[in-house]
Amino acid sequence: MYRYDEIDATLVAERVAQFRDQTRRFLDGKLPEDEFRPLRLRNGLYIQKHAPMLRVAIPYGLLSTRQLRMLGHLARKYDRDYAHFTTRQNIQYNWPKLEDVPDMLADLASVEMHAIQTSGNCIRNTTADHFAGIAPDEIDDPRPYCEIIRQWSTLHPEFTYLPRKFKIAVTGSPADRAASEVHDIGLHMRRDANGQVGFEVLVGGGLGRTPILGKVICDFLPREHLLSYLEAILRVYNQEGRRDNIYKARIKILVKAKGIDAFRTAVEAEWALIRDSALRLDVAEIDRVRAFFRPLPYEKLADINVTQGQSADFQAWYRYNTRPHKVPGYRAVIVSLKAHGEAPGDITADQMDRVADLADRVSSGELRATHDQNLVLGEVRQIDLLETWQTLKALNLATPNIGTLTDMICCPGLDFCSLANAGSIGIAKQIHERFNDFDYLYDLGHVEIKMSGCMNACGHHHVGHIGILGVDKRGEEWYQITLGGSASGKSSLGEVIGPSVAKDAVAETIARILDVYVARREDGEEFLETVRRIGVDPFSERVYAAAH
Amino acid sequence: MPQLIKNRALCNNEWVVAGSEAAGSATRLLLPLADYIAAIAAGEPADSRAVLLKPEVHDLTPLLPHLQHLPLIAVQFGTTGEGRGYTQARLLRERHGYKGELRAIGAVRTDQVYFLARCGFDAFDLVDGDDAAVAISQLDRFSVAYQTSAGNLTHTRMRYGHQG
Ligand code: SF4
């Protein structure tokens, strides 16, 4: 993975010193709260319901075991022994003290981490496919380009006060595992006819109040122009994006208002003037960064049948929680942070330490955080899978539910978030309790539930096969259900099935929806395909039939 | 009264926004772009008229013929979250070669100064109440940067530059 050089280390250290100074001025009463707010947000610090919340960046989800141990250390020293992985491959602490945050940032800097631009109206952490570099279907490894984007976007002087937040996702495979179509910019790696690497560029995707899928602004952008093209998009957005209404300030609204063609014309006009500036990436710089992501010295192994003669539990885990690796004899393991009864995405300090130990032992000493709030051990030899499973199982991190109904995406909701209308963690637990029969879950196959506690859609509910949105009805928590959303290639936004349902009726509503699927599915048809084929009406009829 | 910082020091401000309360009998006036063009066309003295650039101006073409003789361009920040002035500054410096004074006025606070300087501002009308010494010290806050800058802050090394 990327290692800091002197520039990176100095910059992060100076950033910590800057924030320490800002915090001191705030605590001394020299910096008013409303002026401190945007500064602390740019260092990932929110003031939430109970306490400040600190969001730490995990650039494109890649994490060393040393870093994971530090994250565990922070949870122990400054928080309540746990932390929460988010849908943007970051990690959040829910209970730090404001005056401790500069020390937390200094601890992070010691392992080449930071919280820079994890919030605020600026360019956020760039996310990527969590199987980057190991996926068999990959065109090229997106991570070197993510790192280049990370550096370019960090403390970019021109784009520090954008109209609104700005998120970029990069994928290197045809399969989209980074929800790139619902990002402000989605980059899809491509090769042209000569084998040259470049990007298909999407712009103007996003969720929130106005969910929109990104539109193609450029079919093929040669890689050397990556930064100049991004800069041109950001510059047009910075100048023309709306600043009068927070709900209309995202780039998706600008792209929609101008139309993608006029927006493209504006970007290309700007780009023409900067494409051959010093922003042009030369091969040497690309290669310098690529060298950090060189494939491991893999052993020459053959694929083996590891499940033969093993327990049904192990077989289920192998089937649901491991994925193919591009190198024979290896496999990627998904560490499930979706144990039934636990808040999705949460992990304790002890689990962090033990997973780090495991990764050092059986994988590469690196882990990946996924946007669906799990972890991945990317480089496990197949002969080590049994031991890996046993270790994870003892840690309650081997629930064999990846890709099933209970592998839910879930935002912190009312329990922690001051913007929430309704709880989401409690609903996750309700669903866990109701759907605890793994044979039934396996029979249902691939179903994605995504849940947000309010319209901000941090839980990506619009693109859940089943989306759950918390709404406030006269002070009570109610839930609006959508069906048919997806963010993994051929993306679509879910359709509302009808009036929102009461808090205690959510699991029952989902049960009815699943009944319709089981009754109506055709041979081998996945849930999403059935919804797309028959539409939401049959589901609505069943859900609301006896509800009066 | 805002505090004008130039060359890392407080200094006197001779320019006032035309029509503002402070204007009084002042002779050195800041005018919105259209008014400035009209004033120069009407023969008002070029050395005591300067442009007040509003955030919504993103076509700088009408300003270009005046860059050579303009003593000052004041870029207005309505709020500390206003970000358009950063782009305006870079375009003026890098694309259009403006060499005169580029001053940030309005909601200009201590923690913006570093980023403003990197975009090419060389004068800062710091809000009343902020400590000018602390604001000036922000210019040395970072010794490295990933991007080259239009301003004259120097960093030991820059990774992703613009033009030299
Ligand atoms: S979706 Fe709403 S409730 Fe959930 S974390 Fe985001 S802002 Fe908070």
Side-chain angles (χ1 to χ4, degrees), chain A residues 287-512:
Chain A
D287 286 346
R288 182 186 75 84
V289 181
R290 274 166 58 93
F292 288 102
F293 300 92
R294 260 197 291 265
L296 295 183
Y298 292 106
E299 294 170 45
K300 261 207 156 6
L301 301 169
D303 282 331
I304 53 172
N305 184 344
V306 289
T307 54
Q308 197 166 25
Q310 298 297 340
S311 67
D313 279 1
F314 176 69
Q315 293 191 15
W317 176 82
Y318 177 85
R319 176 159 175 214
Y320 287 92
N321 292 22
T322 73
R323 294 288 181 276
H325 192 290
K326 67 178 183 190
V327 176
Y330 287 82
R331 199 104 181 137
V333 167
I334 302 168
V335 177
S336 174
L337 301 183
K338 309 296 174 64
H340 289 195
E342 301 294 332
D346 277 12
I347 184 167
T348 67
D350 286 341
Q351 286 173 326
M352 287 190 243
D353 283 351
R354 307 274 292 277
V355 170
D357 294 345
L358 177 68
D360 279 336
R361 206 161 67 238
V362 302
S363 193
S364 60
E366 289 172 13
L367 299 103
R368 299 120 182 280
T370 77
H371 87 274
D372 35 22
Q373 302 175 290
N374 293 304
L375 290 173
V376 169
L377 305 176
E379 319 268 6
V380 182
R381 292 185 310 174
Q382 292 169 4
I383 42 174
D384 293 328
L385 282 171
L386 189 62
E387 181 202 339
T388 303
W389 171 67
Q390 286 161 341
T391 306
L392 290 173
K393 195 167 154 64
L395 294 169
N396 198 24
L397 296 173
T399 310
N401 62 348
I402 302 305
T404 74
L405 187 80
T406 57
D407 180 17
M408 279 171 280
I409 286 187
C410 176
C411 81
L414 199 58
D415 294 278
F416 296 103
C417 177
S418 43
L419 300 172
N421 289 322
S424 45
I425 296 172
I427 299 297
K429 291 183 180 167
Q430 191 187 117
I431 292 169
H432 284 153
E433 273 165 33
R434 171 88 183 219
F435 301 98
N436 211 7
D437 173 354
F438 279 82
D439 289 334
Y440 180 61
L441 292 179
Y442 296 157
D443 176 62
L444 293 172
H446 181 205
V447 187
E448 296 175 4
I449 293 186
K450 301 188 181 188
M451 184 164 24
S452 307
C454 79
M455 289 210 261
N456 285 325
C458 303
H460 295 185
H461 62 277
H462 302 108
V463 289
H465 299 173
I466 299 174
I468 303 176
L469 165 66
V471 293
D472 174 279
K473 257 198 191 175
R474 291 178 297 276
E476 281 178 32
E477 299 164 61
W478 285 66
Y479 296 86
Q480 184 189 75
I481 312 290
T482 49
L483 292 181
S486 170
S488 39
K490 287 215 317 195
S491 296
S492 52
L493 300 168
E495 198 178 322
V496 178
I497 61 164
S500 52
V501 302
K503 189 173 186 176
D504 56 8
V506 175
E508 170 62 20
T509 302
I510 290 170
R512 291 178 185 201

Side-chain angles (χ1 to χ4, degrees), chain A residues 2 5 7-8 10 14 21-22 25 35 39 148 151-152 154-158 161 231 235 238-239 243 270 273-274 278-279 285, chain B residues 58 80-84 86-87 90-91 95 109-112 115 118-119 134 138 141-144 146-147 157 159-162:
Chain A
Y2 184 75
D5 66 8
I7 299 178
D8 306 294
T10 305
E14 290 175 348
D21 173 56
Q22 289 166 343
R25 280 189 275 135
E35 296 299 332
L39 304 176
I148 288 170
Q151 298 192 20
W152 161 80
T154 297
L155 307 190
H156 194 301
E158 185 179 346
Y161 293 97
E231 185 132 324
R235 182 169 277 174
N238 191 41
Q239 287 197 290
R243 289 171 183 267
E270 177 60 36
L273 298 169
I274 58 174
L279 276 177
E285 172 61 11
Chain B
H58 69 255
T80 49
E82 173 58 65
R84 289 171 284 191
Y86 298 84
T87 294
R90 282 194 60 197
L91 293 176
R95 184 162 299 164
R109 306 196 64 124
T110 302
D111 295 283
Q112 287 144 275
F115 294 105
R118 288 198 56 210
C119 287
V134 177
Q138 301 308 312
R141 180 51 79 188
F142 291 95
S143 63
V144 293
Y146 289 125
Q147 313 83 4
R157 196 180 135 195
R159 199 101 79 193
Y160 302 115
H162 285 267

Side-chain angles (χ1 to χ4, degrees), chain A residues 13-44:
Chain A
E14 290 175 348
R15 177 66 161 188
V16 174
Q18 179 192 42
F19 187 66
R20 199 180 286 285
D21 173 56
Q22 289 166 343
T23 305
R24 206 199 56 238
R25 280 189 275 135
F26 170 67
L27 293 172
D28 289 350
K30 290 186 183 141
L31 186 57
E33 160 63 27
D34 56 331
E35 296 299 332
F36 181 53
R37 191 172 167 275
L39 304 176
R40 64 171 162 74
L41 286 176
R42 278 164 179 71
N43 286 283

